[in-house]
Amino acid sequence: MKFDTIVIGGGMAGLSAALRLAEAGQKTLLMASGQSALHFSSGSVDLLESEGDPRAALPAFMAAHPDHPYSKVGLTNIEASLADLQRHCHEQGLPLFRQERNHQRLTPIGTLKSTWLSPETCACVTEAPAPDVLLLATIEGFRDFHPALAAANLATHARFAHCRILTGEIRLPQLAAFSRNPHEFRSADIARLFDKQQHDRQDLLTDLAREIGRMVQECGEPSCRHIVLPACLSLGLVGPRLAELEARTGCTIKEVATMPPSLIGMRMQEALKRRFLALGGTFLTSERVLGARYDGDRVIGVHSQNGDDQLFEADHFVLASGSFFSRGLESRLGGIREPIFDADVLSLPERDAWAGRRLFDHHPFMGFGVKTDDQLRVLRGGKPLANLYGAGSVLAHYDPVREGSGSGVAVATGWQAASHILGAAQ
């Protein structure tokens, strides 16, 4: 089974690499072990924590961090990779919003998180003034969004000093038959019911619109026209459903990512996967790669849990298997290791030095990962493997949380790894 390129990992980095390769005409296989970190993601794309335009801050940041993945990609390519992501998402009906500086998205606990790109359906604080009245609402029985908590936290922000923040609860009796316990609904449960009822031409959306109208009327604020709901109205693209709700209610309705699993992140993954398949790519899920075969400094193939007698061969490979969460890196008593290629990793010998003493301290283990050369080729035994490139959170020398750079690095390094492969293939 021979391909031009095999991408290992179905998250943001792997999909970014696979999309570029497939669009260029390469026969591309993406091997995903299962759920990626996107299932636990907000669906937003962070570039770099910055007060102004993060693109303007990147040159100085890269000069100060020469080993950082951004430094190996370069500013021009970082911008091109993010533009490509926007284009692919738009093609799949998932437009992404951005400004000329970071905007702030609302989190499920009412804090504001700086980010670069967000789905247009998300509740975000932009350069526009905050509304006079904002209503945060949940669905009765839904466990993963608590409007009172979110409202209390949001009220502490200066941007909302003159905004009256209200809370409400939507009552949909149809949900009672969907679970034996009406207080254990999850976002995916509610979304499946909405999707099923739309498919069966039942009008649950009319009932939801009526309930929103009731809440607005009962809140006692005639100017209340801005509503935030938890992201639980569809497993697929929710834009048309929100637009219909807005037309029926006369309100502006946005959604907030809930506690995991996050439908907004799942939609992002599914949109990029659909785009990859439409471009002719091959996607294998539940296919955990366990090892590889070599010919000198070249990888000739990889094998999965189905056995090493079934070799997936390719001219090039991209390692985008994720960090500890996705088992792309393993932490053992003897240290950190990368389990597929036994690649060189950045770590610290003393385990006591891996983490800070307090939760919000700097944690050195966040910067652990696979070492690469300037072309993102993975190092093994101190030397680069000629046809294996690293991308995303498996890489060393960056801290996605502290820098606010996680998904930006994933997109940029995946895209750039594909660029090197396409250049080598010419």
Side-chain angles (χ1 to χ4, degrees):
M1 202 175 296
K2 181 71 180 287
F3 295 86
D4 293 324
T5 300
I6 293 176
V7 179
I8 303 167
M12 189 66 88
L15 284 163
S16 296
L19 282 166
R20 181 141 203 239
L21 294 165
E23 191 169 43
Q26 281 219 347
K27 183 181 179 183
T28 308
L29 170 65
L30 192 151
M31 303 178 72
S33 61
Q35 291 183 352
S36 77
L38 279 169
H39 285 241
F40 303 85
S41 157
S42 67
S44 293
V45 177
D46 302 336
L47 178 54
L48 188 70
E49 186 73 34
S50 171
E51 291 297 324
D53 185 342
R55 297 169 300 181
L58 276 172
F61 176 82
M62 292 187 292
H65 303 85
D67 293 324
H68 195 281
Y70 276 156
S71 300
K72 299 177 182 182
V73 175
L75 182 59
T76 299
N77 293 325
I78 293 169
E79 292 192 65
S81 70
L82 293 168
D84 252 10
L85 176 68
Q86 285 185 275
R87 178 173 59 84
H88 288 307
C89 287
H90 183 79
E91 288 287 338
Q92 292 300 313
L94 187 68
L96 301 179
F97 163 82
R98 77 166 180 84
Q99 301 178 135
E100 294 306 306
R101 57 189 299 159
N102 281 331
H103 60 273
Q104 294 180 306
R105 64 170 177 84
L106 180 65
T107 74
I109 61 171
T111 56
L112 297 176
K113 173 70 172 63
S114 292
T115 192
W116 180 243
L117 296 172
S118 292
E120 288 187 353
T121 60
C122 290
C124 295
V125 177
T126 66
E127 294 170 353
D132 293 330
V133 182
L134 179 65
L135 175 59
L136 307 182
T138 191
I139 295 176
E140 185 180 33
F142 183 54
R143 300 177 60 184
D144 295 331
F145 180 58
H146 302 281
L149 172 63
N153 286 327
L154 191 59
T156 64
H157 291 275
R159 288 290 299 274
F160 291 85
H162 303 291
C163 175
R164 186 179 179 197
I165 305 173
L166 307 175
T167 63
E169 189 172 71
I170 295 167
R171 297 188 292 268
L172 294 174
Q174 299 94 320
L175 294 178
F178 196 66
S179 173
R180 287 180 293 180
N181 187 338
H183 303 290
E184 289 191 352
F185 291 117
R186 298 293 188 184
S187 55
D189 298 330
I190 299 171
R192 286 190 190 98
L193 182 60
F194 271 93
D195 291 340
K196 181 180 185 301
Q197 294 236 336
Q198 184 182 49
H199 181 266
D200 295 342
R201 301 192 179 278
Q202 300 179 42
D203 211 357
L204 183 58
L205 206 65
T206 296
D207 295 332
L208 177 58
R210 186 182 302 116
E211 276 290 289
I212 291 174
R214 175 191 60 79
M215 284 192 308
V216 170
Q217 185 177 10
E218 292 179 357
C219 77
E221 286 284 352
S223 62
C224 180
R225 288 293 180 267
H226 292 269
I227 315 293
V228 175
L229 300 176
C232 61
L233 300 186
S234 178
L235 291 172
L237 298 177
V238 78
R241 192 161 295 172
L242 289 180
E244 186 175 347
L245 269 180
E246 290 179 335
R248 293 189 185 197
T249 63
C251 296
T252 297
I253 301 176
K254 297 294 184 180
E255 60 177 1
V256 60
T258 63
M259 299 300 184
S262 167
L263 294 194
I264 301 181
M266 292 165 64
R267 290 179 201 142
M268 172 76 78
Q269 181 178 35
E270 286 304 307
L272 296 178
K273 177 182 173 181
R274 286 196 307 272
R275 178 68 172 158
F276 174 62
L277 294 173
L279 292 170
T282 302
F283 193 106
L284 292 181
T285 191
S286 300
E287 198 74 49
R288 178 171 294 281
V289 177
L290 297 182
R293 295 184 192 174
Y294 307 88
D295 182 7
D297 67 348
R298 296 184 65 85
V299 180
I300 60 173
V302 295
H303 61 85
S304 69
Q305 74 271 16
N306 293 321
D308 58 7
D309 58 332
Q310 184 177 354
L311 195 66
F312 296 89
E313 298 180 77
D315 296 324
H316 296 92
F317 298 82
V318 177
L319 178 64
S321 51
S323 187
F324 302 101
F325 177 81
S326 303
R327 295 169 61 186
L329 297 172
E330 292 181 350
S331 173
R332 299 186 173 184
L333 289 176
I336 302 299
R337 69 180 292 265
E338 185 282 311
I340 299 174
F341 301 97
D342 195 24
D344 295 351
V345 295
L346 175 69
S347 181
L348 292 173
E350 295 296 327
R351 292 181 65 91
D352 285 347
W354 288 7
R357 295 300 177 188
R358 296 179 177 86
L359 178 62
F360 294 106
D361 284 350
H362 168 55
H363 300 294
F365 78 87
M366 295 296 293
F368 293 175
V370 168
K371 297 179 181 179
T372 64
D373 68 4
D374 289 341
Q375 295 183 41
L376 295 175
R377 293 182 300 180
V378 171
L379 301 183
R380 188 168 182 259
K383 298 179 180 179
L385 290 165
N387 63 337
L388 174 64
Y389 299 82
S393 58
V394 75
L395 297 176
H397 298 294
Y398 84 107
D399 184 336
V401 175
R402 192 181 191 190
E403 300 163 3
S405 64
S407 42
V409 166
V411 173
T413 54
W415 191 92
Q416 184 68 358
S419 295
H420 289 309
I421 289 170
L422 293 174
Q426 289 179 351

